[in-house]
Structures are given as structure tokens and as C-alpha cells.
Amino acid sequence: MRKLIQMVGICLIVAGVLCSCDRTDEQRKKILKIYNWADYIDEEVLEDFTYWYKEQTGEEIRIIYQVFDINEIMLTKIERGHEDFDVVCPSEYIIERMLKKDLLLPIDRDFGDTPDYTGNIAPYIREQLDKISQPGRKVNDYSVAYMWGTAGLLYNTAFVSAEEVESWSCLWDPAYREKILMKDSYRDAYGTAIIYAHADELEAGTVTVEELMNNYSPEAIALAEQYLKALKPNIAGWEVDFGKEMMTKNKAWINFTWSGDAVWAIDEAEAVNIELDYEVPQEGSNIWYDGWVIPRYARNVKAASYFINYLCRPDIALRNMDEIGYVSAVATPEILEAKVDSMLTDYYDLSYFFGEGAEHIPIDPVQYPDYEVVQRCAMICDFGDQTEEVLEMWSRVKGDNLNTGLVLLIFLVFGLLLVWIVWKKIRTYKQKQRHRSRRRKRLKING
């Protein structure tokens, strides 16, 4: 089914590209253009939405579905390319940036006789996202949370103990040299380094995780660079999506990753008798949120608003969660009932998310972190004007820049290669000239 829908999606994209210039406003109202992360939705939900939309509005709708793997690429297409996507799913810091740049339209919550399911979003998440509201623009008017989770450590229990991953210090432990995979994410790496660099202050309570991860001063950037460079000998690779698969094959022992990827990896590893687990270190970490928004250049705000509303239905939220492994921002009794696992012996406090009555429930702590874990984590806001400085630091850490000696060596090698190539060409040219000269002489003698 997935391959079929992907093929249909590709056909729709091609058709959309070919016809977009000639499409009238009336034709465009029958199309919903969605831009989402890859593997971030139950693809059958897309098809089901078209039927539901017609039931609710009496209108036909066709979906053009595209995917991205980097927030900034998505943003560039909208900001500079003025792409007319109707609904997209950025992370919280990009939502903040889009609000600052006036790139979002408010979500139309006038659904007529259709219930407004957006109220199913957990108040906890709405409160957290409210922190990125801008003057005159409340974030919850322009976005609806979709999935959320933590950043932490996925580890192989055969080589790493639970006690060792209770602190970020394990990432700097020489015992794990070239056994660690890190997300190729400058924001998560920055937050982790700056948290670990201030572990003593955090334990003493003189600073908070939120303050640290949102400090982009030159001193903080320099400190993060120092710690990240010290970490490099332990890194087997910087990954975007392959880390979880590598962990299921015993190719690495520790993977700095996101909780949703950890859920997938733990399940896959169990099938091949490899035991993986996940931990958010005691010092604290990042809690991230992805949400649906309507870009400024959208041409079907009505269908986009209905689509966002549809995804907030508890049954649809559960389908998406079961498909992708991440946790929906929807917090209803139906979700709680479906996620309670009576086979578990450990209980967790989820009252911050599900409300009163969820203080002591058996549930997967990788998907739903305990209240105590949430208390020591925070959201990383947009780096703002310091984004370029942080990216330059990240480039130096990963080695995208080269030191002077290495640059000179490379130039010397290429210089010698160029000289050799020129010499070969000159030699070949002279040989051809001598050959022609001899041939002319022979022709004169024979003549």
C-alpha cells in the first residue's frame, strides 16, 4: 500500500508541477498541497481525509503530497520560492522564525457543523509553544502541535549500562571511542554540549536547562565548540536517519537520537534478539515539538484548516502514532486508554499531559516521559541573529573547514597534478608535431 501511495504521490507532484501555472483559483480550491517530513504520517490517512472532507463540506479535494528532510529547505522554498503549499509541518523553532517573518496565516477554526478537534491538544504543549509567540501573533492561533518528544540516548544494553547513560558524560568517555552515533543536528548538539559543560551549576540549581540551551552569547558558542570538538574522537558518524538502523545491527553502542526513532529501533532490535533502551540523562535535555501551519502563500486555507483539524481526532492521532512511533500532541481519554500497558510493572506520572487521574499509570516511558523527566528538560528556541555564528561553529566542529596546513597540502597536490597534466599535454603535442614533420619529409622524398 505504501509503495502504491508513493507512486500516486509522485504522479500527483508531477501533475502539479506541469499544471500549476495554468491552474485557475477555482481549480486550485480542489487541491490540497501538503509538505511534511518523510515517514511522518500514516499514508492511508491522506486518502481517508479526502472522503471525510467531502462528507463535511460536500467538496471534492485532491492531495498533492511532498516530503522534506531539513527544516531550512522547507522554509527556503516558502520564504524565497513563494511555494504555494497549503499546510506544512515545521519544528517549533522554524514556526517561531516564520512568525517573526510574517510567513504564516491564521488557522480558520470555523468548521461549521464539524467539531473543532484542535482543542484535544494537551494544555501542557499549548503552554510550552506559547513561549515562542510574537508581538501581535499568538503561536496557537497560527499552529497546531502534531508530534513531540525528547532528545536522549539510545543504547545497547549488552555493552552499556543504564547507570552509564544517566549522564551525558558517557558521550565523552574514551571507553566508547568510535562507538557513538550523533544526530547531524546543530541545535541538539549545541544544547547537549552546553548542558554538560554546566553540569555542576545545574546540580547546584544556579542555572536552568532552558537558560543554558537558549544562551547564544559568543562565550556560550565558544564553550559548546570546545566540548563538541573534545567529543569527536568518540563519534563513529553523524547521522540524520540511519542511526536507528545501525543500532539494530550492533554497529554502534550509543546513539544520540530522538525518542520516536528510539521507539522504532527498540522494536526492530527486539525482533533480532538485540536489546536496546533509551534514557534522558539526569542533567536534562531538549523537548521538541513539530506542528502544522498554513504558509503565507497557501491557496487553499479552508482545506488546510480542515486537514489540521482532522489530524486532531483521537482515532486519527492513534493511527499516526502507531505508524511512525512518535507521540501525538493529542491528549484525550481515548489516547490514554489505548496507550496504557497493563503488562508493564513500572508506573509513571503523566498528569502534566493527560490531566488528573494520570499520576500513576503503566505506560511506555520512551514515548511518554515521566513528569520528573519533563521537569529537567526544555525547548530550544530559534537562534535568531546568532544562527549564522552557531552554524559556523558547527562547521568547524564537524571538520567542514580545513586547517591551513591541510589546505596548503591540498593546493600543493592539485598544483603538482595540474603541472603534470600540462606537461603531458605539451609532450603529446610535441610528439604529434614531430610525427607530422617526419611524415611531410617522407612525402617529399617519395614524391
Side-chain angles (χ1 to χ4, degrees):
M1 184 64 186
R2 172 173 293 186
K3 290 184 178 179
L4 174 62
I5 293 178
Q6 287 176 340
M7 291 176 63
V8 171
I10 292 171
C11 293
L12 289 175
I13 291 169
V14 172
V17 171
L18 293 175
C19 302
S20 57
C21 295
D22 299 325
R23 193 174 290 133
T24 65
D25 288 342
E26 197 60 36
Q27 291 172 325
R28 185 63 174 79
K29 288 178 182 178
K30 297 179 180 180
I31 294 172
L32 176 65
K33 291 183 66 175
I34 302 171
Y35 203 22
N36 190 18
W37 297 90
D39 300 319
Y40 210 40
I41 197 169
D42 179 349
E43 292 163 336
E44 293 184 0
V45 164
L46 300 176
E47 182 180 1
D48 292 346
F49 170 74
T50 62
Y51 301 116
W52 180 83
Y53 185 74
K54 185 174 182 179
E55 289 175 358
Q56 303 303 313
T57 66
E59 301 171 10
E60 300 277 355
I61 195 73
R62 180 166 63 90
I63 289 177
I64 294 179
Y65 187 78
Q66 298 186 47
V67 299
F68 61 89
D69 57 6
I70 298 175
N71 270 299
E72 285 74 10
I73 289 177
M74 176 276 298
L75 180 60
T76 299
K77 284 192 174 185
I78 292 171
E79 182 179 13
R80 299 180 184 177
H82 294 186
E83 289 268 6
D84 64 335
F85 295 113
D86 298 309
V87 59
V88 301
C89 186
S91 299
E92 73 292 302
Y93 75 101
I94 293 294
I95 296 175
E96 179 181 3
R97 197 177 299 178
M98 294 176 87
L99 278 174
K100 290 177 181 177
K101 295 184 176 186
D102 193 21
L103 290 174
L104 296 180
L105 299 175
I107 296 170
D108 183 2
R109 287 182 167 84
D110 182 9
F111 300 116
D113 295 331
T114 303
D116 183 354
Y117 299 108
T118 63
N120 290 332
I121 302 300
Y124 162 77
I125 290 184
R126 291 202 297 268
E127 291 168 7
Q128 293 301 307
L129 288 176
D130 190 54
K131 296 176 181 178
I132 61 174
S133 292
Q134 301 300 308
R137 297 190 185 97
K138 302 289 288 183
V139 68
N140 290 302
D141 292 335
Y142 291 83
S143 73
V144 171
Y146 179 50
M147 299 285 167
W148 68 288
T150 57
L153 299 175
L154 177 69
Y155 64 99
N156 190 316
T157 61
F159 305 105
V160 185
S161 69
E163 291 73 24
E164 288 171 298
V165 291
E166 285 183 352
S167 171
W168 290 116
S169 62
C170 66
L171 295 181
W172 283 264
D173 188 337
Y176 300 122
R177 187 180 180 90
E178 297 185 351
K179 295 296 183 181
I180 296 173
L181 295 171
M182 286 286 290
K183 279 291 182 201
D184 191 358
S185 167
Y186 70 95
R187 290 168 49 79
D188 291 292
Y190 180 90
T192 299
I194 211 70
I195 286 172
Y196 179 59
H198 294 86
D200 292 340
E201 293 95 319
L202 284 166
E203 187 175 5
T206 58
V207 69
T208 67
V209 167
E210 187 169 21
E211 290 169 343
L212 288 174
M213 291 195 304
N214 292 291
N215 176 6
Y216 320 129
S217 65
E219 295 78 14
I221 294 173
L223 185 61
E225 180 174 355
Q226 174 189 334
Y227 272 77
L228 288 172
K229 284 182 174 178
L231 171 66
K232 283 190 68 176
N234 288 358
I235 304 303
W238 306 91
E239 58 95 5
V240 176
D241 194 46
F242 66 80
K244 54 189 178 183
E245 185 175 352
M246 295 285 283
M247 291 294 290
T248 66
K249 296 179 178 179
N250 275 336
K251 300 294 185 181
W253 295 354
I254 299 175
N255 181 202
F256 175 92
T257 191
W258 301 307
S259 51
D261 282 357
V263 170
W264 183 92
I266 291 170
D267 289 344
E268 291 293 312
E270 185 178 0
V272 292
N273 297 317
I274 294 175
E275 185 177 351
L276 302 179
D277 208 345
Y278 175 83
E279 183 71 30
V280 176
Q282 291 294 321
E283 294 94 347
S285 186
N286 170 32
I287 289 189
W288 54 266
Y289 309 92
D290 292 337
W292 292 100
V293 298
I294 302 176
R296 179 178 179 177
Y297 304 104
R299 296 177 63 188
N300 197 339
V301 174
K302 177 180 178 180
S305 298
Y306 270 82
F307 180 74
I308 293 171
N309 188 37
Y310 180 69
L311 295 181
C312 294
R313 272 178 36 177
D315 59 322
I316 301 301
L318 279 169
R319 286 173 60 182
N320 285 328
M321 290 174 64
D322 292 342
E323 176 67 20
I324 68 176
Y326 283 88
V327 178
S328 172
V330 173
T332 63
E334 297 95 327
I335 301 287
L336 178 58
E337 181 181 358
K339 289 300 174 180
V340 166
D341 188 348
S342 58
M343 300 295 291
L344 297 176
T345 56
D346 293 326
Y347 290 74
Y348 302 93
D349 183 358
L350 271 295
S351 58
Y352 70 93
F353 189 78
F354 288 108
E356 187 177 350
E359 293 85 359
H360 190 69
I361 56 175
I363 200 166
D364 182 356
V366 180
Q367 286 194 313
Y368 288 98
D370 184 79
Y371 178 67
E372 186 275 329
V373 174
V374 168
Q375 284 291 93
R376 63 176 188 260
C377 297
M379 175 176 62
I380 304 178
C381 296
D382 181 29
F383 286 133
D385 294 337
Q386 282 70 48
T387 299
E388 186 174 347
E389 285 79 0
V390 176
L391 285 173
E392 289 175 355
M393 177 274 290
W394 183 235
S395 179
R396 292 192 296 270
V397 165
K398 290 180 62 183
D400 294 339
N401 63 307
L402 302 173
N403 62 51
T404 304
L406 187 56
V407 170
L408 291 175
L409 177 61
I410 291 173
F411 272 109
L412 177 61
V413 170
F414 274 99
L416 291 173
L417 181 62
L418 180 62
V419 169
W420 181 79
I421 291 172
V422 171
W423 176 79
K424 286 283 289 182
K425 287 185 175 295
I426 293 174
R427 184 184 177 189
T428 301
Y429 174 77
K430 288 182 176 180
Q431 287 176 339
K432 288 181 178 179
Q433 289 295 100
R434 285 196 296 269
H435 176 73
R436 291 193 184 101
S437 178
R438 290 194 206 101
R439 188 169 180 272
R440 283 196 295 268
K441 287 179 180 178
R442 284 198 300 272
L443 288 171
K444 285 182 179 179
I445 293 171
N446 293 333

